[in-house]
Amino acid sequence: SPKLVSFRGTYYQMKPQYRDICKRNIYPVPSGGGIPVGVHFTPTCNQERGHQMIIGPGATMAFAREGYKFFDVNFSELLRSLGHLGLWSFVAKNPVMSVQELYRDLNQEAFLAQARRLIPSLTSDMTEPSFAGVMAQVFDNSGTAAADFIFETGPLDGRVLHVRNAPSPACTASMAIAEEVVDKAEQAFGWAKK
């Protein structure tokens, strides 16, 4: 079965008076490293965050499955991740990016410098910390990040369907992904299409 490594994505947000700095999503050109697309601007319009402009995420290894903060550490989970050959292969192939992402997670100014590549007029006083999310990333032993969903139906005598890897844009394309999950479930459980 695929081995997972937890990655944390930290977000900042525009202070209310600056949230209209842009109106639409702004994404960078992907780095090709196989982890999320990098720091970008995303407008929100939901009950939890209201109308906001979030900036992020970064993508650095989390030291726990629930590692929403840098110093959240679960030593058994951390050792399991550090024992994964695929993680070390990935770091060896992407040493600069790996160190930069870790540094940006600890340094707001470095994080915002990445965002300024997209909006040069952005200044630190326009932003405030927002939230962090944790995602599970699958690496094969060669250090290649899985770029697609991995479905597994083995647990509980095949009565459960797990999505073992949910790469970006998982939430952005949630309806298309839901259709794929339903198709897989129909196949796995012998459901008849209506």
Side-chain angles (χ1 to χ4, degrees):
S1 70
K3 292 187 179 179
L4 303 173
V5 177
S6 297
F7 275 77
R8 178 181 46 265
T10 301
Y11 287 85
Y12 289 85
Q13 64 189 24
M14 301 304 296
K15 289 180 179 174
Q17 63 269 34
Y18 301 111
R19 70 175 60 134
D20 291 331
I21 194 166
C22 63
K23 301 285 187 193
R24 306 273 187 274
N25 292 336
I26 301 177
Y27 285 88
V29 175
S31 66
I35 56 176
V37 296
V39 173
H40 54 276
F41 289 78
T42 305
T44 65
C45 56
N46 59 33
Q47 187 171 354
E48 182 179 341
R49 290 193 175 62
H51 293 282
Q52 185 51 268
M53 179 61 65
I54 57 175
I55 310 163
T60 191
M61 186 178 140
F63 306 135
R65 286 184 187 177
E66 299 291 327
Y68 292 94
K69 296 178 184 163
F70 185 83
F71 292 105
D72 289 345
V73 178
N74 178 305
F75 288 103
S76 66
E77 292 170 3
L78 177 58
L79 289 173
R80 191 174 310 120
S81 291
L82 292 175
H84 181 23
L85 176 63
L87 173 65
W88 290 107
S89 297
F90 175 81
V91 171
K93 289 178 180 178
N94 303 283
V96 173
M97 180 180 64
S98 299
V99 172
Q100 284 176 339
E101 288 294 333
L102 185 63
Y103 180 65
R104 277 194 285 267
D105 193 57
L106 292 169
N107 184 303
Q108 179 180 356
E109 192 53 41
F111 184 98
L112 293 177
Q114 189 74 15
R116 277 189 208 95
R117 291 177 163 188
L118 303 174
I119 299 181
S121 62
L122 179 71
T123 59
S124 299
D125 63 320
M126 299 166 87
T127 67
E128 58 193 5
S130 188
F131 66 99
V134 176
M135 67 169 235
Q137 179 63 59
V138 173
F139 292 98
D140 65 21
N141 284 339
S142 74
T144 301
D148 208 349
F149 296 88
I150 298 171
F151 295 96
E152 182 181 90
T153 57
L156 297 174
D157 297 322
R159 296 178 307 205
V160 177
L161 175 65
H162 290 276
V163 180
R164 297 286 307 253
N165 194 55
S168 186
C171 293
T172 316
S174 59
M175 294 308 291
I177 293 165
E179 289 176 7
E180 180 72 15
V181 170
V182 169
D183 289 346
K184 293 287 184 185
E186 286 175 344
Q187 292 171 7
F189 306 133
W191 296 344
K193 289 192 178 206
K194 292 184 178 184

mmCIF file of all heavy atoms in Angstrom, residues 3 15 23 28 33-34 39 42 45 54 65 69 74 90 97 108 115 124 131-132 135 141 144 158-159 166 171 191 193:
data_model
loop_
_atom_site.group_PDB
_atom_site.id
_atom_site.type_symbol
_atom_site.label_atom_id
_atom_site.label_comp_id
_atom_site.label_asym_id
_atom_site.label_seq_id
_atom_site.Cartn_x
_atom_site.Cartn_y
_atom_site.Cartn_z
ATOM 1 N N LYS A 3 2.734 4.693 0.875
ATOM 2 C CA LYS A 3 3.146 5.315 2.131
ATOM 3 C C LYS A 3 2.894 6.810 2.039
ATOM 4 O O LYS A 3 3.222 7.453 1.050
ATOM 5 C CB LYS A 3 4.615 5.035 2.405
ATOM 6 C CG LYS A 3 4.876 3.576 2.700
ATOM 7 C CD LYS A 3 6.302 3.352 3.126
ATOM 8 C CE LYS A 3 6.517 1.890 3.441
ATOM 9 N NZ LYS A 3 7.885 1.618 3.842
ATOM 10 N N LYS A 15 -5.632 41.692 5.068
ATOM 11 C CA LYS A 15 -6.443 42.398 6.056
ATOM 12 C C LYS A 15 -7.668 42.949 5.329
ATOM 13 O O LYS A 15 -7.630 43.196 4.118
ATOM 14 C CB LYS A 15 -5.630 43.524 6.681
ATOM 15 C CG LYS A 15 -4.534 43.002 7.601
ATOM 16 C CD LYS A 15 -3.737 44.143 8.205
ATOM 17 C CE LYS A 15 -2.657 43.596 9.130
ATOM 18 N NZ LYS A 15 -1.768 44.671 9.628
ATOM 19 N N LYS A 23 -9.256 40.151 -7.757
ATOM 20 C CA LYS A 23 -10.643 39.665 -7.757
ATOM 21 C C LYS A 23 -10.771 38.176 -8.058
ATOM 22 O O LYS A 23 -11.794 37.578 -7.806
ATOM 23 C CB LYS A 23 -11.475 40.436 -8.794
ATOM 24 C CG LYS A 23 -11.518 41.914 -8.562
ATOM 25 C CD LYS A 23 -12.427 42.233 -7.417
ATOM 26 C CE LYS A 23 -12.586 43.748 -7.299
ATOM 27 N NZ LYS A 23 -13.184 44.120 -6.052
ATOM 28 N N PRO A 28 0.793 30.576 -9.666
ATOM 29 C CA PRO A 28 2.099 30.588 -10.335
ATOM 30 C C PRO A 28 2.201 29.434 -11.326
ATOM 31 O O PRO A 28 1.366 28.520 -11.308
ATOM 32 C CB PRO A 28 3.080 30.374 -9.179
ATOM 33 C CG PRO A 28 2.312 29.515 -8.218
ATOM 34 C CD PRO A 28 0.868 30.000 -8.330
ATOM 35 N N GLY A 33 7.947 20.034 -9.118
ATOM 36 C CA GLY A 33 8.450 19.172 -8.050
ATOM 37 C C GLY A 33 7.471 18.113 -7.615
ATOM 38 O O GLY A 33 7.834 17.187 -6.916
ATOM 39 N N GLY A 34 6.214 18.264 -7.998
ATOM 40 C CA GLY A 34 5.241 17.234 -7.680
ATOM 41 C C GLY A 34 4.447 17.494 -6.424
ATOM 42 O O GLY A 34 3.582 16.734 -6.075
ATOM 43 N N VAL A 39 2.521 29.062 -3.568
ATOM 44 C CA VAL A 39 1.783 30.178 -3.004
ATOM 45 C C VAL A 39 0.956 30.847 -4.105
ATOM 46 O O VAL A 39 1.481 31.183 -5.160
ATOM 47 C CB VAL A 39 2.749 31.186 -2.352
ATOM 48 C CG1 VAL A 39 2.013 32.441 -1.899
ATOM 49 C CG2 VAL A 39 3.467 30.536 -1.178
ATOM 50 N N THR A 42 -6.321 33.281 -3.531
ATOM 51 C CA THR A 42 -7.626 32.660 -3.741
ATOM 52 C C THR A 42 -8.704 33.443 -3.001
ATOM 53 O O THR A 42 -8.627 33.588 -1.782
ATOM 54 C CB THR A 42 -7.625 31.198 -3.213
ATOM 55 O OG1 THR A 42 -6.559 30.481 -3.822
ATOM 56 C CG2 THR A 42 -8.952 30.517 -3.494
ATOM 57 N N CYS A 45 -15.539 32.841 -0.330
ATOM 58 C CA CYS A 45 -16.896 33.376 -0.116
ATOM 59 C C CYS A 45 -17.723 32.303 0.568
ATOM 60 O O CYS A 45 -18.705 31.825 0.041
ATOM 61 C CB CYS A 45 -17.533 33.834 -1.419
ATOM 62 S SG CYS A 45 -17.594 32.562 -2.682
ATOM 63 N N ILE A 54 -7.253 34.800 0.502
ATOM 64 C CA ILE A 54 -6.214 34.053 1.204
ATOM 65 C C ILE A 54 -4.997 33.905 0.296
ATOM 66 O O ILE A 54 -5.113 33.901 -0.927
ATOM 67 C CB ILE A 54 -6.714 32.681 1.717
ATOM 68 C CG1 ILE A 54 -7.270 31.803 0.590
ATOM 69 C CG2 ILE A 54 -7.742 32.870 2.820
ATOM 70 C CD1 ILE A 54 -7.667 30.408 1.034
ATOM 71 N N ARG A 65 0.553 13.868 11.681
ATOM 72 C CA ARG A 65 -0.604 13.848 10.774
ATOM 73 C C ARG A 65 -1.536 15.023 11.045
ATOM 74 O O ARG A 65 -2.211 15.496 10.147
ATOM 75 C CB ARG A 65 -1.383 12.542 10.939
ATOM 76 C CG ARG A 65 -0.694 11.375 10.329
ATOM 77 C CD ARG A 65 -1.548 10.146 10.430
ATOM 78 N NE ARG A 65 -0.789 9.001 9.970
ATOM 79 C CZ ARG A 65 -1.228 7.778 9.991
ATOM 80 N NH1 ARG A 65 -2.437 7.520 10.446
ATOM 81 N NH2 ARG A 65 -0.482 6.796 9.553
ATOM 82 N N LYS A 69 0.686 23.185 13.138
ATOM 83 C CA LYS A 69 1.672 24.200 13.506
ATOM 84 C C LYS A 69 3.059 23.574 13.388
ATOM 85 O O LYS A 69 3.217 22.357 13.491
ATOM 86 C CB LYS A 69 1.443 24.685 14.932
ATOM 87 C CG LYS A 69 0.113 25.389 15.113
ATOM 88 C CD LYS A 69 -0.088 25.815 16.542
ATOM 89 C CE LYS A 69 -1.470 26.431 16.678
ATOM 90 N NZ LYS A 69 -1.893 26.510 18.057
ATOM 91 N N ASN A 74 4.559 14.481 16.440
ATOM 92 C CA ASN A 74 4.252 13.144 16.915
ATOM 93 C C ASN A 74 5.447 12.299 16.494
ATOM 94 O O ASN A 74 5.643 12.056 15.292
ATOM 95 C CB ASN A 74 2.949 12.629 16.295
ATOM 96 C CG ASN A 74 2.621 11.223 16.739
ATOM 97 O OD1 ASN A 74 3.421 10.302 16.592
ATOM 98 N ND2 ASN A 74 1.433 11.052 17.278
ATOM 99 N N PHE A 90 12.879 12.163 -2.889
ATOM 100 C CA PHE A 90 12.280 13.428 -3.299
ATOM 101 C C PHE A 90 13.153 14.609 -2.865
ATOM 102 O O PHE A 90 13.426 15.518 -3.653
ATOM 103 C CB PHE A 90 10.875 13.562 -2.702
ATOM 104 C CG PHE A 90 10.239 14.893 -2.981
ATOM 105 C CD1 PHE A 90 9.622 15.140 -4.197
ATOM 106 C CD2 PHE A 90 10.278 15.900 -2.039
ATOM 107 C CE1 PHE A 90 9.053 16.370 -4.462
ATOM 108 C CE2 PHE A 90 9.712 17.130 -2.300
ATOM 109 C CZ PHE A 90 9.099 17.369 -3.511
ATOM 110 N N MET A 97 14.266 23.424 -3.270
ATOM 111 C CA MET A 97 12.842 23.625 -3.004
ATOM 112 C C MET A 97 12.482 23.128 -1.602
ATOM 113 O O MET A 97 11.727 23.788 -0.881
ATOM 114 C CB MET A 97 11.989 22.899 -4.040
ATOM 115 C CG MET A 97 10.499 23.082 -3.786
ATOM 116 S SD MET A 97 9.429 22.247 -4.960
ATOM 117 C CE MET A 97 9.820 20.547 -4.653
ATOM 118 N N GLN A 108 7.588 34.676 7.696
ATOM 119 C CA GLN A 108 6.507 35.324 6.967
ATOM 120 C C GLN A 108 7.024 36.166 5.803
ATOM 121 O O GLN A 108 6.439 36.161 4.723
ATOM 122 C CB GLN A 108 5.676 36.197 7.901
ATOM 123 C CG GLN A 108 4.544 36.914 7.190
ATOM 124 C CD GLN A 108 3.714 37.786 8.103
ATOM 125 O OE1 GLN A 108 3.927 37.824 9.305
ATOM 126 N NE2 GLN A 108 2.756 38.482 7.535
ATOM 127 N N ALA A 115 4.752 35.353 -2.690
ATOM 128 C CA ALA A 115 3.476 35.923 -3.152
ATOM 129 C C ALA A 115 3.700 37.183 -3.992
ATOM 130 O O ALA A 115 2.938 37.459 -4.922
ATOM 131 C CB ALA A 115 2.585 36.233 -1.947
ATOM 132 N N SER A 124 3.940 43.461 3.746
ATOM 133 C CA SER A 124 3.663 42.661 4.941
ATOM 134 C C SER A 124 2.536 43.241 5.778
ATOM 135 O O SER A 124 1.747 42.497 6.365
ATOM 136 C CB SER A 124 4.919 42.534 5.797
ATOM 137 O OG SER A 124 5.932 41.902 5.076
ATOM 138 N N PHE A 131 -4.628 30.424 8.458
ATOM 139 C CA PHE A 131 -4.804 29.061 8.942
ATOM 140 C C PHE A 131 -3.782 28.160 8.270
ATOM 141 O O PHE A 131 -3.016 28.596 7.421
ATOM 142 C CB PHE A 131 -6.226 28.549 8.667
ATOM 143 C CG PHE A 131 -6.538 28.380 7.202
ATOM 144 C CD1 PHE A 131 -6.471 27.137 6.606
ATOM 145 C CD2 PHE A 131 -6.906 29.475 6.413
ATOM 146 C CE1 PHE A 131 -6.751 26.994 5.242
ATOM 147 C CE2 PHE A 131 -7.192 29.333 5.070
ATOM 148 C CZ PHE A 131 -7.118 28.095 4.485
ATOM 149 N N ALA A 132 -3.777 26.910 8.648
ATOM 150 C CA ALA A 132 -2.928 25.916 7.996
ATOM 151 C C ALA A 132 -3.764 24.673 7.734
ATOM 152 O O ALA A 132 -4.692 24.367 8.479
ATOM 153 C CB ALA A 132 -1.724 25.560 8.855
ATOM 154 N N MET A 135 -2.138 17.914 4.384
ATOM 155 C CA MET A 135 -2.533 16.953 3.353
ATOM 156 C C MET A 135 -1.578 15.766 3.388
ATOM 157 O O MET A 135 -0.433 15.884 3.843
ATOM 158 C CB MET A 135 -2.517 17.579 1.970
ATOM 159 C CG MET A 135 -1.146 17.957 1.464
ATOM 160 S SD MET A 135 -1.201 18.388 -0.281
ATOM 161 C CE MET A 135 0.027 17.283 -0.932
ATOM 162 N N ASN A 141 9.099 4.982 -4.173
ATOM 163 C CA ASN A 141 10.473 4.895 -3.663
ATOM 164 C C ASN A 141 11.485 5.685 -4.482
ATOM 165 O O ASN A 141 12.560 5.999 -4.002
ATOM 166 C CB ASN A 141 10.912 3.430 -3.542
ATOM 167 C CG ASN A 141 10.285 2.756 -2.340
ATOM 168 O OD1 ASN A 141 9.856 3.427 -1.404
ATOM 169 N ND2 ASN A 141 10.226 1.442 -2.359
ATOM 170 N N THR A 144 9.123 10.151 -6.568
ATOM 171 C CA THR A 144 8.115 10.798 -7.391
ATOM 172 C C THR A 144 6.823 10.919 -6.593
ATOM 173 O O THR A 144 6.339 9.923 -6.040
ATOM 174 C CB THR A 144 7.862 9.994 -8.681
ATOM 175 O OG1 THR A 144 9.087 9.884 -9.395
ATOM 176 C CG2 THR A 144 6.805 10.655 -9.547
ATOM 177 N N GLY A 158 -13.419 -5.395 1.997
ATOM 178 C CA GLY A 158 -13.770 -4.715 0.759
ATOM 179 C C GLY A 158 -15.007 -3.859 0.827
ATOM 180 O O GLY A 158 -15.551 -3.458 -0.186
ATOM 181 N N ARG A 159 -15.483 -3.555 2.035
ATOM 182 C CA ARG A 159 -16.709 -2.759 2.173
ATOM 183 C C ARG A 159 -16.447 -1.260 2.313
ATOM 184 O O ARG A 159 -17.368 -0.489 2.485
ATOM 185 C CB ARG A 159 -17.503 -3.236 3.382
ATOM 186 C CG ARG A 159 -17.993 -4.668 3.240
ATOM 187 C CD ARG A 159 -18.723 -5.086 4.474
ATOM 188 N NE ARG A 159 -17.863 -4.843 5.617
ATOM 189 C CZ ARG A 159 -17.937 -5.482 6.764
ATOM 190 N NH1 ARG A 159 -18.840 -6.396 6.943
ATOM 191 N NH2 ARG A 159 -17.119 -5.194 7.748
ATOM 192 N N ALA A 166 -4.893 12.618 -2.478
ATOM 193 C CA ALA A 166 -5.816 13.612 -3.043
ATOM 194 C C ALA A 166 -5.022 14.856 -3.416
ATOM 195 O O ALA A 166 -5.009 15.835 -2.697
ATOM 196 C CB ALA A 166 -6.909 13.945 -2.035
ATOM 197 N N CYS A 171 -10.067 20.151 -3.693
ATOM 198 C CA CYS A 171 -11.322 20.848 -3.400
ATOM 199 C C CYS A 171 -11.818 21.645 -4.588
ATOM 200 O O CYS A 171 -13.014 21.768 -4.800
ATOM 201 C CB CYS A 171 -11.139 21.748 -2.190
ATOM 202 S SG CYS A 171 -10.865 20.794 -0.695
ATOM 203 N N TRP A 191 -22.680 -1.790 -7.275
ATOM 204 C CA TRP A 191 -23.901 -0.996 -7.314
ATOM 205 C C TRP A 191 -24.368 -0.856 -8.753
ATOM 206 O O TRP A 191 -23.587 -0.693 -9.666
ATOM 207 C CB TRP A 191 -23.670 0.393 -6.751
ATOM 208 C CG TRP A 191 -23.308 0.440 -5.305
ATOM 209 C CD1 TRP A 191 -23.456 -0.553 -4.370
ATOM 210 C CD2 TRP A 191 -22.732 1.549 -4.610
ATOM 211 N NE1 TRP A 191 -23.012 -0.140 -3.155
ATOM 212 C CE2 TRP A 191 -22.571 1.164 -3.278
ATOM 213 C CE3 TRP A 191 -22.355 2.824 -4.993
ATOM 214 C CZ2 TRP A 191 -22.043 2.002 -2.311
ATOM 215 C CZ3 TRP A 191 -21.830 3.671 -4.042
ATOM 216 C CH2 TRP A 191 -21.679 3.262 -2.702
ATOM 217 N N LYS A 193 -26.078 1.219 -11.722
ATOM 218 C CA LYS A 193 -26.270 2.631 -12.089
ATOM 219 C C LYS A 193 -27.752 2.891 -12.232
ATOM 220 O O LYS A 193 -28.496 2.076 -12.753
ATOM 221 C CB LYS A 193 -25.548 2.958 -13.383
ATOM 222 C CG LYS A 193 -24.053 2.985 -13.212
ATOM 223 C CD LYS A 193 -23.415 3.590 -14.429
ATOM 224 C CE LYS A 193 -21.905 3.644 -14.175
ATOM 225 N NZ LYS A 193 -21.265 4.681 -14.911
#
